[in-house]
């Protein structure tokens, strides 16, 4: 208790950040919280991660955290016993970025701890035991008049590489269809086979269009993908598990992106890259519809329900219209200004200080 009083007096805190990551949930939740953790760490706070994942994803997660050279950011491998984590790191607050709130062992332990919880992500509603929420995508239905919400694309959390690129870019020039570059980001995991439907849609794309497919660290069907693209006439490059700096450069040099709904849409909008979105779940569909209203993206629909010719026609239509892409680019840069990580950290600090 004495140590906690000192931390509050000097306004530095311990956070327990709970996220989902792996071939099922992808990498977006972890990347968002990694960016937020670095911002909080720069202010003197300590962050311990608890990650729900499959055992076969542990190797990639270990590598991810080995590359983080920051003593204030820690992860203990293995599916965490949250009660043990709470006892070990003695957090002042929990940051929740899991796919849902009904993760039994997590929610039970966090509720019993009585710690303040900050939900960060696309949550349509909050349970009564969560008081705070930052939702960059949709309006969250609050269960209590005591709950506090910040809901705006101004709170999109970006890594430093995208923030820096956003600060220097003014506007983009859009090439004609024959000289365009198409960037495809089908999610950090396997996304229920979305990429293979997209590949079929590329059969009618002109050979002059440059196509780059970026697969996440948890994508496990890379050899099958390489086999499928050999059948196509257009030139396709495959990248996997690239750095934020490399992704920034790809987004700057391409003219259109086709993206599985997730954190990549924030990065693309910040850099003025027009985005076509495919969703893979009802929650993603809800977020995609709201993102379309915010600007910078066009929601095509659920990839399972869309037919291959529909996806192909959408890609061709947007590639053939530089004015439409320019309009989408400008609205995206207006919606996501690159300062969301700082705003989110400011808000969390302010609310904790008021407790």
């Amino acid at each position: 208790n004495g140590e906690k009083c000192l931390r509050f007096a000097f306004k530095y805190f311990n956070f327990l950040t709970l996220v989902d990551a792996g071939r099922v949930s992808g990498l977006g939740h972890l990347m968002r919280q990694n960016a937020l953790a670095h911002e909080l760490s720069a202010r003197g706070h300590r962050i311990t991660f608890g990650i729900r994942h499959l055992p076969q994803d542990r190797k990639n997660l270990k590598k991810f955290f080995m590359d983080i050279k920051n003593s204030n950011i820690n992860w203990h491998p293995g599916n965490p016993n949250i009660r043990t984590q709470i006892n070990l790191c003695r957090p002042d607050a929990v940051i929740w970025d899991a796919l849902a709130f009904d993760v039994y062992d997590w929610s039970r332990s966090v509720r019993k701890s009585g710690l303040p919880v900050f939900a960060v992500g696309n949550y349509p509603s909050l349970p009564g035991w969560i008081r705070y929420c930052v939702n960059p995508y949709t309006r969250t239905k609050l269960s209590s008049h005591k709950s506090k919400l910040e809901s705006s694309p101004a709170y999109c959390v970006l890594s430093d590489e995208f923030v820096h690129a956003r600060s220097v870019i003014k506007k983009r020039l859009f090439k004609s269809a024959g000289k365009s570059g198409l960037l495809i980001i089908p999610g950090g995991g396997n996304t229920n086979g979305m990429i293979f439907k997209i590949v079929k849609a590329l059969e009618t794309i002109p050979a002059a269009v440059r196509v780059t497919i970026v697969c996440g660290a948890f994508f496990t069907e890379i050899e099958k993908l390489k086999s499928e693209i050999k059948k196509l006439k257009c030139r396709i490059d495959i990248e996997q598990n690239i750095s934020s700096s490399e992704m920034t450069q790809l987004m700057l040099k391409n003219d259109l992106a086709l993206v599985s709904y997730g954190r990549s849409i924030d990065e693309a909008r910040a850099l003025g890259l027009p985005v076509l979105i495919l969703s893979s779940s009802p929650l993603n569909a809800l977020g995609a519809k709201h993102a379309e209203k915010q600007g910078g993206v066009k929601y095509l629909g659920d990839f399972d329900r869309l037919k291959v010719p529909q996806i192909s026609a959408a890609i061709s239509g947007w590639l053939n219209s530089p004015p439409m892409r320019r309009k989408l680019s400008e609205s995206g840069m207006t919606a996501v200004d690159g300062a969301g990580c700082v705003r989110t950290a400011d808000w969390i600090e302010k609310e904790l200080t008021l407790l």
Side-chain angles (χ1 to χ4, degrees):
N1 287 337
E3 180 188 346
K4 181 169 284 192
C5 288
L6 281 173
R7 291 205 300 269
F8 272 77
F10 289 100
K11 294 185 173 57
Y12 70 91
F13 306 109
N14 284 346
F15 292 95
L16 176 60
T17 296
L18 302 179
V19 300
D20 284 320
R23 63 194 62 191
V24 176
S25 53
L27 198 59
H29 301 266
L30 181 56
M31 292 299 291
R32 173 166 54 213
Q33 290 309 320
N34 180 50
L36 182 56
H38 277 81
E39 176 63 31
L40 291 170
S41 171
R43 303 176 184 212
H45 309 305
R46 294 181 62 85
I47 302 90
T48 299
F49 277 85
I51 304 176
R52 190 168 60 139
H53 62 283
L54 297 173
Q56 52 266 47
D57 293 326
R58 197 163 299 159
K59 181 179 178 181
N60 282 327
L61 287 171
K62 284 183 178 180
K63 183 180 184 307
F64 181 90
F65 280 93
M66 283 177 63
D67 291 339
I68 297 177
K69 310 299 182 185
N70 189 322
S71 60
N72 281 342
I73 300 175
N74 299 286
W75 172 59
H76 303 292
N79 284 314
N81 179 308
I82 297 304
R83 183 182 299 178
T84 302
Q85 294 273 32
I86 290 172
N87 290 335
L88 286 175
C89 72
R90 291 187 288 180
D92 302 298
V94 173
I95 296 175
W96 188 288
D97 197 348
L99 290 172
F101 296 116
D102 58 353
V103 184
Y104 179 67
D105 55 331
W106 283 14
S107 57
R108 180 182 58 175
S109 297
V110 171
R111 290 173 69 180
K112 283 187 174 181
S113 73
L115 291 166
V117 182
F118 293 83
V120 180
N122 178 27
Y123 296 115
S125 61
L126 290 182
W129 51 276
I130 293 186
R131 286 274 306 276
Y132 307 95
C133 182
V134 177
N135 187 342
Y137 309 108
T138 61
R139 288 294 294 182
T140 301
K141 183 179 179 181
L142 304 179
S143 59
S144 168
H145 69 279
K146 295 181 180 179
S147 298
K148 296 185 178 182
L149 170 70
E150 292 294 339
S151 181
S152 162
Y155 285 87
C156 289
V157 175
L158 303 177
S159 303
D160 286 343
E161 293 83 356
F162 295 96
V163 174
H164 174 72
R166 174 66 175 82
S167 68
V168 297
I169 190 172
K170 301 301 180 184
K171 67 177 182 178
R172 300 175 66 110
L173 299 175
F174 289 98
K175 310 179 189 73
S176 60
K179 300 178 181 179
S180 296
L182 173 64
L183 180 63
I184 298 174
I185 308 174
N190 291 340
T191 326
N192 300 321
M194 178 187 290
I195 184 57
F196 298 105
K197 195 167 194 176
I198 293 174
V199 167
K200 289 182 180 179
L202 297 178
E203 292 177 357
T204 59
I205 300 301
V209 175
R210 296 176 291 102
V211 180
T212 303
I213 299 174
V214 178
C215 300
F218 300 107
F219 180 70
T220 61
E221 299 182 278
I222 194 73
E223 295 305 320
K224 179 182 176 182
L225 177 59
K226 289 178 180 178
S227 175
E228 289 294 317
I229 66 172
K230 287 180 181 178
K231 306 171 186 177
L232 303 179
K233 60 184 178 182
C234 58
R235 193 191 82 191
I236 300 179
D237 296 321
I238 299 177
E239 304 284 352
Q240 186 173 26
N241 198 21
I242 64 175
S243 67
S244 294
S245 297
E246 291 168 323
M247 180 67 89
T248 301
Q249 293 306 311
L250 284 174
M251 287 187 171
L252 289 173
K253 80 176 187 179
N254 281 285
D255 303 279
L256 181 68
L258 178 62
V259 176
S260 170
Y261 177 81
R263 186 171 173 272
S264 294
I265 69 169
D266 303 335
E267 299 163 348
R269 290 193 290 181
L271 300 183
L273 177 62
V275 180
L276 307 180
I277 300 179
L278 296 173
S279 63
S280 58
S281 72
L283 181 59
N284 285 351
L286 179 64
K289 290 174 184 176
H290 278 81
E292 185 175 50
K293 293 177 183 177
Q294 293 168 350
V297 304
K298 175 66 177 177
Y299 176 47
L300 301 183
D302 185 287
F303 91 96
D304 265 336
R305 297 182 180 180
L306 287 169
K307 298 184 183 302
V308 169
Q310 290 176 297
I311 299 174
S312 182
I315 295 172
S316 297
W318 283 89
L319 284 176
N320 287 325
S321 180
M324 286 171 57
R325 283 184 273 138
R326 185 176 298 109
K327 184 177 180 180
L328 210 59
S329 169
E330 291 170 353
S331 64
M333 292 186 73
T334 299
V336 182
D337 64 3
C341 191
V342 171
R343 288 192 187 98
T344 302
D346 284 346
W347 188 69
I348 291 174
E349 280 186 328
K350 182 190 74 172
E351 295 300 332
L352 272 180
T353 305
L354 291 174
L355 288 176

